Amino acid sequence: MIGEESAVDPQDNEAIKAFEAALTAFAEELTLLHIASGSPSYSTIASASVRSRLTKSGLAEMLTGKRLPSQEGLLEFVRVVTTPSGLDKPTAAKFRADPNMVQEWRDRWQHVKVLQRQAQRARKRLRVTDKQVHDDTSYEPKSLHIEADQTRTSEDAKGCPVTGGSPLPIPDRTVSVAGARIDGC
């Protein structure tokens, strides 16, 4: 495949870039919501989560755009950060976020999820293409390896260049290569 046109579909690259851009924008919007809610610590958010247990590392990945959270995790994050402060824990656990806000975040998440699935298919095709290119470029006929080994072994045996055949060191310091005898070059 060397010297041939790349078999990578430009739409695959576009799908991957579209997902990455959407995930970055989604994470930025979540960060704005987090800031608008007073920037509670990840530990506070994690301990206040109920329906979908959130973790500090999961929150960090969600807010930095390293990964798309599950829909349940996202909605729990929205519920926790929009819960009014000062509520006792049982009351806060029963708090429901504004239904319009929940629907808005659900729609955003679904949009990014569709792009993620398209990017996953594109990445899979790229991995297959990359593997094929690697396999094609790393393949050399066995005969080339045999010939190179024979030349190297024959040269090592006497310090003389000999090509072809199979090298067999013989006690009288003669090298036999495919029926040819070379004595003390």
Side-chain angles (χ1 to χ4, degrees), residues 19-60:
F19 166 65
E20 289 171 351
L23 182 60
T24 299
F26 185 77
E28 288 171 358
E29 292 168 359
L30 278 175
T31 300
L32 291 174
L33 176 64
H34 180 241
I35 292 168
S37 300
S39 299
S41 70
Y42 293 172
S43 181
T44 301
I45 297 169
S47 65
S49 64
V50 177
R51 294 173 193 90
S52 179
R53 290 303 296 170
L54 302 174
T55 63
K56 292 185 285 186
S57 61
L59 289 164

mmCIF file of all heavy atoms in Angstrom, residues 19-60:
data_model
loop_
_atom_site.group_PDB
_atom_site.id
_atom_site.type_symbol
_atom_site.label_atom_id
_atom_site.label_comp_id
_atom_site.label_asym_id
_atom_site.label_seq_id
_atom_site.Cartn_x
_atom_site.Cartn_y
_atom_site.Cartn_z
ATOM 1 N N PHE A 19 -17.354 14.588 16.769
ATOM 2 C CA PHE A 19 -17.605 14.093 18.121
ATOM 3 C C PHE A 19 -16.694 14.797 19.127
ATOM 4 O O PHE A 19 -17.147 15.224 20.183
ATOM 5 C CB PHE A 19 -17.405 12.584 18.208
ATOM 6 C CG PHE A 19 -17.320 12.092 19.628
ATOM 7 C CD1 PHE A 19 -18.418 12.186 20.474
ATOM 8 C CD2 PHE A 19 -16.140 11.576 20.135
ATOM 9 C CE1 PHE A 19 -18.346 11.765 21.794
ATOM 10 C CE2 PHE A 19 -16.052 11.151 21.449
ATOM 11 C CZ PHE A 19 -17.160 11.248 22.281
ATOM 12 N N GLU A 20 -15.420 14.891 18.808
ATOM 13 C CA GLU A 20 -14.485 15.528 19.740
ATOM 14 C C GLU A 20 -14.876 16.980 20.014
ATOM 15 O O GLU A 20 -14.817 17.438 21.158
ATOM 16 C CB GLU A 20 -13.060 15.440 19.199
ATOM 17 C CG GLU A 20 -12.516 14.017 19.245
ATOM 18 C CD GLU A 20 -11.197 13.836 18.519
ATOM 19 O OE1 GLU A 20 -10.751 14.773 17.805
ATOM 20 O OE2 GLU A 20 -10.596 12.752 18.661
ATOM 21 N N ALA A 21 -15.303 17.700 18.979
ATOM 22 C CA ALA A 21 -15.729 19.095 19.157
ATOM 23 C C ALA A 21 -17.006 19.160 20.002
ATOM 24 O O ALA A 21 -17.130 20.011 20.894
ATOM 25 C CB ALA A 21 -15.952 19.755 17.798
ATOM 26 N N ALA A 22 -17.955 18.258 19.731
ATOM 27 C CA ALA A 22 -19.210 18.253 20.490
ATOM 28 C C ALA A 22 -18.965 17.877 21.949
ATOM 29 O O ALA A 22 -19.560 18.472 22.854
ATOM 30 C CB ALA A 22 -20.205 17.282 19.854
ATOM 31 N N LEU A 23 -18.069 16.929 22.194
ATOM 32 C CA LEU A 23 -17.756 16.530 23.566
ATOM 33 C C LEU A 23 -17.087 17.677 24.321
ATOM 34 O O LEU A 23 -17.407 17.936 25.482
ATOM 35 C CB LEU A 23 -16.858 15.291 23.579
ATOM 36 C CG LEU A 23 -16.497 14.738 24.955
ATOM 37 C CD1 LEU A 23 -17.754 14.320 25.725
ATOM 38 C CD2 LEU A 23 -15.534 13.562 24.816
ATOM 39 N N THR A 24 -16.200 18.387 23.653
ATOM 40 C CA THR A 24 -15.537 19.539 24.269
ATOM 41 C C THR A 24 -16.555 20.621 24.614
ATOM 42 O O THR A 24 -16.549 21.164 25.723
ATOM 43 C CB THR A 24 -14.450 20.100 23.332
ATOM 44 O OG1 THR A 24 -13.475 19.077 23.104
ATOM 45 C CG2 THR A 24 -13.782 21.324 23.919
ATOM 46 N N ALA A 25 -17.454 20.920 23.682
ATOM 47 C CA ALA A 25 -18.486 21.935 23.930
ATOM 48 C C ALA A 25 -19.420 21.494 25.054
ATOM 49 O O ALA A 25 -19.797 22.303 25.914
ATOM 50 C CB ALA A 25 -19.284 22.194 22.652
ATOM 51 N N PHE A 26 -19.773 20.221 25.073
ATOM 52 C CA PHE A 26 -20.643 19.667 26.117
ATOM 53 C C PHE A 26 -19.978 19.822 27.483
ATOM 54 O O PHE A 26 -20.613 20.255 28.451
ATOM 55 C CB PHE A 26 -20.918 18.191 25.797
ATOM 56 C CG PHE A 26 -21.898 17.531 26.713
ATOM 57 C CD1 PHE A 26 -23.262 17.759 26.587
ATOM 58 C CD2 PHE A 26 -21.466 16.651 27.695
ATOM 59 C CE1 PHE A 26 -24.177 17.124 27.424
ATOM 60 C CE2 PHE A 26 -22.369 16.017 28.531
ATOM 61 C CZ PHE A 26 -23.728 16.260 28.391
ATOM 62 N N ALA A 27 -18.699 19.484 27.562
ATOM 63 C CA ALA A 27 -17.964 19.605 28.829
ATOM 64 C C ALA A 27 -17.886 21.070 29.271
ATOM 65 O O ALA A 27 -17.996 21.369 30.467
ATOM 66 C CB ALA A 27 -16.564 19.018 28.682
ATOM 67 N N GLU A 28 -17.702 21.970 28.323
ATOM 68 C CA GLU A 28 -17.652 23.400 28.668
ATOM 69 C C GLU A 28 -19.002 23.873 29.215
ATOM 70 O O GLU A 28 -19.053 24.643 30.174
ATOM 71 C CB GLU A 28 -17.245 24.225 27.440
ATOM 72 C CG GLU A 28 -15.784 24.047 27.066
ATOM 73 C CD GLU A 28 -15.418 24.683 25.731
ATOM 74 O OE1 GLU A 28 -16.313 25.253 25.045
ATOM 75 O OE2 GLU A 28 -14.235 24.594 25.362
ATOM 76 N N GLU A 29 -20.099 23.399 28.623
ATOM 77 C CA GLU A 29 -21.435 23.766 29.111
ATOM 78 C C GLU A 29 -21.674 23.203 30.511
ATOM 79 O O GLU A 29 -22.252 23.885 31.365
ATOM 80 C CB GLU A 29 -22.504 23.260 28.137
ATOM 81 C CG GLU A 29 -22.478 23.978 26.793
ATOM 82 C CD GLU A 29 -23.328 23.295 25.731
ATOM 83 O OE1 GLU A 29 -23.940 22.239 26.016
ATOM 84 O OE2 GLU A 29 -23.367 23.812 24.602
ATOM 85 N N LEU A 30 -21.225 21.965 30.735
ATOM 86 C CA LEU A 30 -21.351 21.380 32.075
ATOM 87 C C LEU A 30 -20.532 22.175 33.090
ATOM 88 O O LEU A 30 -20.973 22.397 34.221
ATOM 89 C CB LEU A 30 -20.869 19.930 32.082
ATOM 90 C CG LEU A 30 -21.853 18.877 31.610
ATOM 91 C CD1 LEU A 30 -21.181 17.508 31.557
ATOM 92 C CD2 LEU A 30 -23.073 18.831 32.502
ATOM 93 N N THR A 31 -19.359 22.603 32.689
ATOM 94 C CA THR A 31 -18.503 23.397 33.573
ATOM 95 C C THR A 31 -19.174 24.721 33.911
ATOM 96 O O THR A 31 -19.134 25.172 35.063
ATOM 97 C CB THR A 31 -17.125 23.630 32.922
ATOM 98 O OG1 THR A 31 -16.517 22.344 32.695
ATOM 99 C CG2 THR A 31 -16.223 24.470 33.799
ATOM 100 N N LEU A 32 -19.816 25.337 32.925
ATOM 101 C CA LEU A 32 -20.546 26.583 33.190
ATOM 102 C C LEU A 32 -21.686 26.349 34.179
ATOM 103 O O LEU A 32 -21.917 27.174 35.071
ATOM 104 C CB LEU A 32 -21.075 27.188 31.886
ATOM 105 C CG LEU A 32 -20.020 27.745 30.934
ATOM 106 C CD1 LEU A 32 -20.664 28.182 29.615
ATOM 107 C CD2 LEU A 32 -19.270 28.903 31.578
ATOM 108 N N LEU A 33 -22.397 25.237 34.025
ATOM 109 C CA LEU A 33 -23.462 24.900 34.978
ATOM 110 C C LEU A 33 -22.865 24.695 36.379
ATOM 111 O O LEU A 33 -23.427 25.186 37.367
ATOM 112 C CB LEU A 33 -24.209 23.636 34.534
ATOM 113 C CG LEU A 33 -25.285 23.120 35.495
ATOM 114 C CD1 LEU A 33 -26.420 24.134 35.642
ATOM 115 C CD2 LEU A 33 -25.817 21.772 35.012
ATOM 116 N N HIS A 34 -21.734 24.014 36.438
ATOM 117 C CA HIS A 34 -21.056 23.765 37.715
ATOM 118 C C HIS A 34 -20.667 25.093 38.367
ATOM 119 O O HIS A 34 -20.904 25.300 39.564
ATOM 120 C CB HIS A 34 -19.824 22.881 37.461
ATOM 121 C CG HIS A 34 -19.050 22.549 38.675
ATOM 122 N ND1 HIS A 34 -17.733 22.924 38.832
ATOM 123 C CD2 HIS A 34 -19.380 21.874 39.802
ATOM 124 C CE1 HIS A 34 -17.293 22.494 39.998
ATOM 125 N NE2 HIS A 34 -18.274 21.849 40.614
ATOM 126 N N ILE A 35 -20.110 25.992 37.587
ATOM 127 C CA ILE A 35 -19.699 27.302 38.114
ATOM 128 C C ILE A 35 -20.918 28.127 38.535
ATOM 129 O O ILE A 35 -20.931 28.736 39.604
ATOM 130 C CB ILE A 35 -18.839 28.061 37.076
ATOM 131 C CG1 ILE A 35 -17.504 27.334 36.896
ATOM 132 C CG2 ILE A 35 -18.633 29.512 37.479
ATOM 133 C CD1 ILE A 35 -16.694 27.816 35.706
ATOM 134 N N ALA A 36 -21.968 28.116 37.694
ATOM 135 C CA ALA A 36 -23.183 28.878 38.014
ATOM 136 C C ALA A 36 -23.856 28.360 39.279
ATOM 137 O O ALA A 36 -24.580 29.100 39.948
ATOM 138 C CB ALA A 36 -24.160 28.804 36.836
ATOM 139 N N SER A 37 -23.578 27.116 39.616
ATOM 140 C CA SER A 37 -24.165 26.516 40.821
ATOM 141 C C SER A 37 -23.282 26.693 42.043
ATOM 142 O O SER A 37 -23.515 26.062 43.079
ATOM 143 C CB SER A 37 -24.418 25.025 40.578
ATOM 144 O OG SER A 37 -25.299 24.859 39.503
ATOM 145 N N GLY A 38 -22.261 27.499 41.916
ATOM 146 C CA GLY A 38 -21.406 27.787 43.067
ATOM 147 C C GLY A 38 -20.151 26.938 43.146
ATOM 148 O O GLY A 38 -19.456 26.948 44.156
ATOM 149 N N SER A 39 -19.854 26.174 42.130
ATOM 150 C CA SER A 39 -18.653 25.327 42.066
ATOM 151 C C SER A 39 -18.486 24.414 43.275
ATOM 152 O O SER A 39 -17.433 24.414 43.926
ATOM 153 C CB SER A 39 -17.391 26.182 41.884
ATOM 154 O OG SER A 39 -17.440 26.915 40.709
ATOM 155 N N PRO A 40 -19.500 23.599 43.571
ATOM 156 C CA PRO A 40 -19.312 22.668 44.692
ATOM 157 C C PRO A 40 -18.155 21.713 44.371
ATOM 158 O O PRO A 40 -17.911 21.398 43.200
ATOM 159 C CB PRO A 40 -20.643 21.915 44.780
ATOM 160 C CG PRO A 40 -21.309 22.127 43.474
ATOM 161 C CD PRO A 40 -20.789 23.409 42.919
ATOM 162 N N SER A 41 -17.451 21.271 45.392
ATOM 163 C CA SER A 41 -16.310 20.375 45.178
ATOM 164 C C SER A 41 -16.804 19.044 44.611
ATOM 165 O O SER A 41 -17.964 18.657 44.794
ATOM 166 C CB SER A 41 -15.566 20.141 46.487
ATOM 167 O OG SER A 41 -16.350 19.353 47.356
ATOM 168 N N TYR A 42 -15.902 18.351 43.936
ATOM 169 C CA TYR A 42 -16.248 17.046 43.387
ATOM 170 C C TYR A 42 -16.649 16.096 44.517
ATOM 171 O O TYR A 42 -17.548 15.272 44.359
ATOM 172 C CB TYR A 42 -15.081 16.449 42.608
ATOM 173 C CG TYR A 42 -14.721 17.188 41.337
ATOM 174 C CD1 TYR A 42 -13.591 16.847 40.630
ATOM 175 C CD2 TYR A 42 -15.504 18.219 40.833
ATOM 176 C CE1 TYR A 42 -13.242 17.497 39.459
ATOM 177 C CE2 TYR A 42 -15.167 18.882 39.663
ATOM 178 C CZ TYR A 42 -14.033 18.516 38.977
ATOM 179 O OH TYR A 42 -13.694 19.162 37.824
ATOM 180 N N SER A 43 -15.985 16.238 45.639
ATOM 181 C CA SER A 43 -16.292 15.394 46.794
ATOM 182 C C SER A 43 -17.717 15.645 47.285
ATOM 183 O O SER A 43 -18.466 14.710 47.594
ATOM 184 C CB SER A 43 -15.286 15.663 47.907
ATOM 185 O OG SER A 43 -15.538 14.865 49.009
ATOM 186 N N THR A 44 -18.112 16.919 47.328
ATOM 187 C CA THR A 44 -19.469 17.285 47.758
ATOM 188 C C THR A 44 -20.506 16.731 46.790
ATOM 189 O O THR A 44 -21.531 16.173 47.203
ATOM 190 C CB THR A 44 -19.604 18.816 47.869
ATOM 191 O OG1 THR A 44 -18.642 19.296 48.797
ATOM 192 C CG2 THR A 44 -20.992 19.231 48.285
ATOM 193 N N ILE A 45 -20.230 16.866 45.494
ATOM 194 C CA ILE A 45 -21.167 16.363 44.474
ATOM 195 C C ILE A 45 -21.281 14.845 44.580
ATOM 196 O O ILE A 45 -22.381 14.284 44.561
ATOM 197 C CB ILE A 45 -20.727 16.787 43.060
ATOM 198 C CG1 ILE A 45 -20.757 18.310 42.909
ATOM 199 C CG2 ILE A 45 -21.605 16.140 41.999
ATOM 200 C CD1 ILE A 45 -20.096 18.825 41.638
ATOM 201 N N ALA A 46 -20.130 14.175 44.699
ATOM 202 C CA ALA A 46 -20.130 12.710 44.772
ATOM 203 C C ALA A 46 -20.901 12.218 45.992
ATOM 204 O O ALA A 46 -21.686 11.268 45.898
ATOM 205 C CB ALA A 46 -18.696 12.191 44.793
ATOM 206 N N SER A 47 -20.699 12.869 47.127
ATOM 207 C CA SER A 47 -21.389 12.409 48.340
ATOM 208 C C SER A 47 -22.880 12.722 48.303
ATOM 209 O O SER A 47 -23.675 12.037 48.940
ATOM 210 C CB SER A 47 -20.751 13.008 49.591
ATOM 211 O OG SER A 47 -20.914 14.403 49.615
ATOM 212 N N ALA A 48 -23.291 13.733 47.541
ATOM 213 C CA ALA A 48 -24.707 14.085 47.447
ATOM 214 C C ALA A 48 -25.438 13.263 46.376
ATOM 215 O O ALA A 48 -26.667 13.269 46.336
ATOM 216 C CB ALA A 48 -24.858 15.571 47.140
ATOM 217 N N SER A 49 -24.689 12.559 45.525
ATOM 218 C CA SER A 49 -25.354 11.778 44.474
ATOM 219 C C SER A 49 -26.036 10.563 45.079
ATOM 220 O O SER A 49 -25.552 9.967 46.028
ATOM 221 C CB SER A 49 -24.343 11.357 43.398
ATOM 222 O OG SER A 49 -23.381 10.490 43.925
ATOM 223 N N VAL A 50 -27.211 10.222 44.512
ATOM 224 C CA VAL A 50 -28.017 9.142 45.069
ATOM 225 C C VAL A 50 -28.364 8.121 43.987
ATOM 226 O O VAL A 50 -27.990 6.958 44.075
ATOM 227 C CB VAL A 50 -29.321 9.691 45.704
ATOM 228 C CG1 VAL A 50 -30.190 8.562 46.215
ATOM 229 C CG2 VAL A 50 -29.004 10.680 46.802
ATOM 230 N N ARG A 51 -29.088 8.563 42.988
ATOM 231 C CA ARG A 51 -29.647 7.643 41.987
ATOM 232 C C ARG A 51 -28.576 7.002 41.119
ATOM 233 O O ARG A 51 -28.656 5.850 40.768
ATOM 234 C CB ARG A 51 -30.663 8.386 41.128
ATOM 235 C CG ARG A 51 -31.870 8.799 41.942
ATOM 236 C CD ARG A 51 -32.806 9.694 41.138
ATOM 237 N NE ARG A 51 -33.767 10.320 42.030
ATOM 238 C CZ ARG A 51 -33.567 11.487 42.633
ATOM 239 N NH1 ARG A 51 -32.457 12.149 42.437
ATOM 240 N NH2 ARG A 51 -34.460 11.972 43.438
ATOM 241 N N SER A 52 -27.601 7.753 40.758
ATOM 242 C CA SER A 52 -26.445 7.250 40.029
ATOM 243 C C SER A 52 -25.243 7.740 40.811
ATOM 244 O O SER A 52 -25.020 8.951 40.914
ATOM 245 C CB SER A 52 -26.442 7.808 38.605
ATOM 246 O OG SER A 52 -25.323 7.345 37.910
ATOM 247 N N ARG A 53 -24.512 6.830 41.405
ATOM 248 C CA ARG A 53 -23.387 7.238 42.244
ATOM 249 C C ARG A 53 -22.306 7.864 41.376
ATOM 250 O O ARG A 53 -21.785 7.239 40.463
ATOM 251 C CB ARG A 53 -22.811 6.049 43.003
ATOM 252 C CG ARG A 53 -23.703 5.501 44.085
ATOM 253 C CD ARG A 53 -24.126 6.457 45.147
ATOM 254 N NE ARG A 53 -23.008 6.942 45.940
ATOM 255 C CZ ARG A 53 -23.097 7.922 46.797
ATOM 256 N NH1 ARG A 53 -24.248 8.533 47.005
ATOM 257 N NH2 ARG A 53 -22.057 8.313 47.470
ATOM 258 N N LEU A 54 -22.005 9.100 41.657
ATOM 259 C CA LEU A 54 -20.961 9.810 40.945
ATOM 260 C C LEU A 54 -19.656 9.695 41.729
ATOM 261 O O LEU A 54 -19.677 9.659 42.961
ATOM 262 C CB LEU A 54 -21.337 11.283 40.772
ATOM 263 C CG LEU A 54 -22.656 11.549 40.035
ATOM 264 C CD1 LEU A 54 -22.993 13.031 40.061
ATOM 265 C CD2 LEU A 54 -22.575 11.046 38.603
ATOM 266 N N THR A 55 -18.554 9.636 41.012
ATOM 267 C CA THR A 55 -17.251 9.576 41.665
ATOM 268 C C THR A 55 -16.468 10.835 41.326
ATOM 269 O O THR A 55 -16.747 11.501 40.324
ATOM 270 C CB THR A 55 -16.441 8.351 41.192
ATOM 271 O OG1 THR A 55 -16.176 8.488 39.784
ATOM 272 C CG2 THR A 55 -17.195 7.047 41.464
ATOM 273 N N LYS A 56 -15.477 11.144 42.149
ATOM 274 C CA LYS A 56 -14.659 12.334 41.895
ATOM 275 C C LYS A 56 -13.920 12.197 40.564
ATOM 276 O O LYS A 56 -13.867 13.151 39.787
ATOM 277 C CB LYS A 56 -13.676 12.571 43.043
ATOM 278 C CG LYS A 56 -14.367 12.980 44.339
ATOM 279 C CD LYS A 56 -13.378 13.335 45.432
ATOM 280 C CE LYS A 56 -12.748 12.084 45.984
ATOM 281 N NZ LYS A 56 -11.875 12.331 47.135
ATOM 282 N N SER A 57 -13.380 11.030 40.289
ATOM 283 C CA SER A 57 -12.655 10.855 39.023
ATOM 284 C C SER A 57 -13.615 10.916 37.835
ATOM 285 O O SER A 57 -13.289 11.484 36.787
ATOM 286 C CB SER A 57 -11.872 9.549 39.014
ATOM 287 O OG SER A 57 -12.732 8.445 39.147
ATOM 288 N N GLY A 58 -14.798 10.345 37.986
ATOM 289 C CA GLY A 58 -15.805 10.420 36.927
ATOM 290 C C GLY A 58 -16.253 11.851 36.670
ATOM 291 O O GLY A 58 -16.455 12.256 35.518
ATOM 292 N N LEU A 59 -16.392 12.627 37.740
ATOM 293 C CA LEU A 59 -16.756 14.040 37.585
ATOM 294 C C LEU A 59 -15.652 14.807 36.868
ATOM 295 O O LEU A 59 -15.928 15.636 35.988
ATOM 296 C CB LEU A 59 -17.037 14.667 38.951
ATOM 297 C CG LEU A 59 -18.327 14.207 39.625
ATOM 298 C CD1 LEU A 59 -18.325 14.565 41.098
ATOM 299 C CD2 LEU A 59 -19.535 14.794 38.914
ATOM 300 N N ALA A 60 -14.417 14.536 37.233
ATOM 301 C CA ALA A 60 -13.291 15.205 36.572
ATOM 302 C C ALA A 60 -13.270 14.871 35.079
ATOM 303 O O ALA A 60 -13.090 15.766 34.244
ATOM 304 C CB ALA A 60 -11.971 14.802 37.226
#
